[in-house]
Amino acid sequence: MVNERGSLPRPTRTELNVLRVLWAKGQGTVRQVHEALNEVEASGYTTALKMLQVMHHKGLVRRDDSSRAHVYRATINKKDTQSDFIDDLKNQLFEGSTTQLVLQALHGSPGADRETLAEIHTLMAEIEG
């Protein structure tokens, strides 16, 4: 199901959990997705099945039903999904300012330790060429 912008709909929080499983595994049956989801949030097998069916209808996953156990694979990739969410966050909360978004992430996050800052410096050096 493609929206008015000509793209797939934005995944919900629960759909993102399913996508994380599929991104990590590459593909999975309902049972495999269900078992992995249970490590994150308690849910039943039929809930995982229904989520995958809804996501298939939306176009977020592709289903191979050539064998008895249907195998699902994400149709959207992780990096593009992350970029879409970051762009929306930047535009909705930071008036389009990447600088303000990054500063808030660093300042507002307790995870900005020396190791994290060293990684950021390395990335900045790579970006600067």
Side-chain angles (χ1 to χ4, degrees), residues 16-118:
L16 282 171
N17 287 337
V18 172
L19 287 169
R20 282 187 199 100
V21 170
L22 294 175
W23 289 330
K25 293 183 172 293
Q27 63 183 22
T29 64
V30 176
R31 180 153 314 282
Q32 291 168 328
V33 170
H34 162 67
E35 289 170 358
L37 282 176
N38 266 339
E39 295 175 11
V40 177
E41 60 185 46
S43 67
Y45 177 88
T46 54
T47 302
L49 172 61
K50 185 64 179 173
M51 283 305 305
L52 285 162
Q53 289 171 337
V54 168
M55 291 173 71
H56 180 258
H57 177 71
K58 289 180 171 182
L60 296 172
V61 297
R62 183 175 44 233
R63 179 178 62 210
D64 177 359
D65 53 7
S66 62
S67 63
R68 186 168 181 260
H70 296 179
V71 178
Y72 292 85
R73 177 183 298 272
T75 59
I76 57 177
N77 71 50
K78 185 176 182 177
K79 185 175 182 179
D80 289 344
T81 303
Q82 289 172 332
S83 292
D84 289 346
F85 272 85
I86 292 290
D87 283 345
D88 280 353
L89 182 66
K90 177 183 72 172
N91 291 327
Q92 291 176 22
L93 294 176
F94 299 97
E95 299 168 354
S97 172
T98 301
T99 303
Q100 290 301 311
L101 172 67
V102 171
L103 289 174
Q104 177 61 35
L106 289 174
H107 182 68
S109 172
D113 57 15
R114 290 178 92 86
E115 186 177 319
T116 301
L117 293 173

